[in-house]
Amino acid sequence: MALDKESLEKLGLSVEAVTQILADHQAALQDEQQKTAQEKTRADTAESTLSTANKKLEGYDPDWKEAVKTAETKAQQEIETMKFNYALEKALSDSRAKNAVAVKALLNMDGLKQNGNEIVGLKEQLEKLKTDNDYLFESEPDPKPFTASATGSGSQPTTTKDEANAAFRAVFGRE
C-alpha cells in the first residue's frame, strides 16, 4: 500500500491526521536522503584518498605491490617451515630418539609431508632407522618384575602400599 493522501483518507483518518502523517513522512524521507548523500560523499572521499595514496606509492616504488606479495609469501613459508620443524621435533621426541639432530640427518626430508600435526612418511622412516641404527633410540623400559615385599609372606601389612602388594599377591596366588 502506498503512503499517499487518498489511501490514508480511505482508512477513515481525518484531514488533519492525514496532513500530519504525510508531513512527518516527508520529513523522515528528507532526513534519510540527506544521510544517504552524506555517506555517499564520505565513500567517494575515501575512494579518492585511496586512489591518491596508491598513485603516490607507485611513484615512490613502482613494484611495491609485488614486494608486499613476496614478503607475505616468504612469511607464510617461514611459518609453514616452523610448524613442520616443531611437528618433526615432537615426533622424534615421541619416538625416543637420543639425538634428534643425528636422526634428522638420516631422514629423507623430501619424503616427508606435513598433514596437520602429523608428518606423513615419518613412521616408516623411523621404523627402518630403529631397525638399522637402534643405538640412536632409547630402548623401551622393561617392566619391573613383580617381587614379594621385603617383610616376607605371612606378615601383616602395615601401610597402604603393603596392603596393595598383599592384594596383588593374593590375586596371583602368592600368599
Side-chain angles (χ1 to χ4, degrees), residues 2-104:
L3 188 62
D4 58 10
K5 186 175 181 180
E6 291 80 30
S7 62
L8 290 174
E9 287 175 350
K10 285 181 186 177
L11 293 175
L13 297 174
S14 67
V15 174
E16 295 84 26
V18 169
T19 305
Q20 184 62 40
I21 291 171
L22 289 175
D24 290 346
H25 176 69
Q26 186 62 29
L29 185 63
Q30 287 176 350
D31 187 42
E32 289 301 317
Q33 287 173 342
Q34 183 180 8
K35 287 179 185 177
T36 302
Q38 288 174 345
E39 290 301 317
K40 184 176 181 338
T41 302
R42 273 186 42 185
D44 290 343
T45 302
E47 191 174 309
S48 173
T49 303
L50 177 62
S51 176
T52 303
N54 283 341
K55 286 179 183 174
K56 284 182 181 178
L57 283 174
E58 287 175 1
Y60 292 124
D61 184 5
D63 298 326
W64 71 273
K65 289 180 183 177
E66 190 61 36
V68 168
K69 287 180 185 176
T70 302
E72 190 175 65
T73 302
K74 183 178 178 184
Q76 189 61 36
Q77 287 173 344
E78 287 178 11
I79 289 170
E80 293 301 320
T81 300
M82 288 172 53
K83 285 181 180 179
F84 177 81
N85 287 335
Y86 174 75
L88 182 60
E89 290 289 332
K90 178 159 179 14
L92 291 177
S93 174
D94 292 346
S95 72
R96 303 178 56 89
K98 289 181 180 178
N99 185 340
V101 174
V103 173
K104 278 173 88 172

Side-chain angles (χ1 to χ4, degrees), residues 149 151-157 169:
S149 79
T151 60
S153 62
S155 66
Q156 292 289 17
R169 283 192 297 277

